[in-house]
Amino acid sequence: MSIAGVAALIAAVSFAVLACTGVYLAVRFTRVLGDAATLVRETRTGQEALFARANAAVDRASAQLDRTEAATTAVADLGDSMTELAGQANALAGIGRSVAGAVVGGPIGRAAAVAYGVRHAVGLRRGTVTRQGALPGRVVNSAELPSAGHAGTRARA
């Protein structure tokens, strides 16, 4: 075997080793790509579920925000109504004070005072009203009071 034959043999063996290594790496790379494709599919499925849940959460948050805005508007309207009601109550109280002042201090109030005075004076003359304002009556002794047993039977009958 000549040197050229040995060199060709070494080159052929080297080429065969490199070819086998290339085939082995290609098979391994195909498996890695297959695993990566599977991982991407699973991730895509998980992402779709995640996006669906995120969209649902955003929808719920939006609905809650709408309800919150409606409640805030209702509370603001209630506050405006309460302010208006307070103004009306103050106006009515002012009218009531002015009417009461006009009635008491005016001719109707003076006529009522005169009528009360006359009625009280007549009551004093007749003896139906005492000077201290107590009702007329007499003191009852404890012997005159009915017993508790009799009072209870009368109350039941």
Side-chain angles (χ1 to χ4, degrees), residues 8-101:
L9 184 65
I10 290 175
V13 171
S14 296
F15 180 75
V17 169
L18 286 176
C20 287
T21 303
V23 169
Y24 176 75
L25 289 177
V27 169
R28 293 292 291 174
F29 187 66
T30 304
R31 283 187 191 165
V32 169
L33 285 180
D35 291 344
T38 303
L39 181 62
V40 167
R41 278 193 300 272
E42 291 173 358
T43 304
R44 186 172 295 146
T45 304
Q47 287 175 348
E48 290 171 359
L50 179 64
F51 284 141
R53 288 193 335 231
N55 285 336
V58 167
D59 291 342
R60 285 192 308 270
S62 178
Q64 184 64 34
L65 183 61
D66 291 343
R67 285 193 298 267
T68 302
E69 288 174 357
T72 303
T73 303
V75 169
D77 291 345
L78 178 64
D80 293 342
S81 298
M82 291 302 290
T83 303
E84 182 181 341
L85 182 63
Q88 291 174 355
N90 283 337
L92 286 175
I95 290 172
R97 281 191 293 268
S98 64
V99 167

Side-chain angles (χ1 to χ4, degrees), residues 131-145:
R131 293 198 184 268
Q132 292 82 15
L135 295 174
R138 62 185 183 91
V139 176
V140 178
N141 296 327
S142 63
E144 296 176 356
L145 293 175

Side-chain angles (χ1 to χ4, degrees), residues 116 119-138:
Y116 174 78
R119 188 181 70 189
H120 188 70
V122 169
L124 286 174
R125 299 277 269 148
R126 288 185 181 166
T128 57
V129 177
T130 62
R131 293 198 184 268
Q132 292 82 15
L135 295 174
R138 62 185 183 91

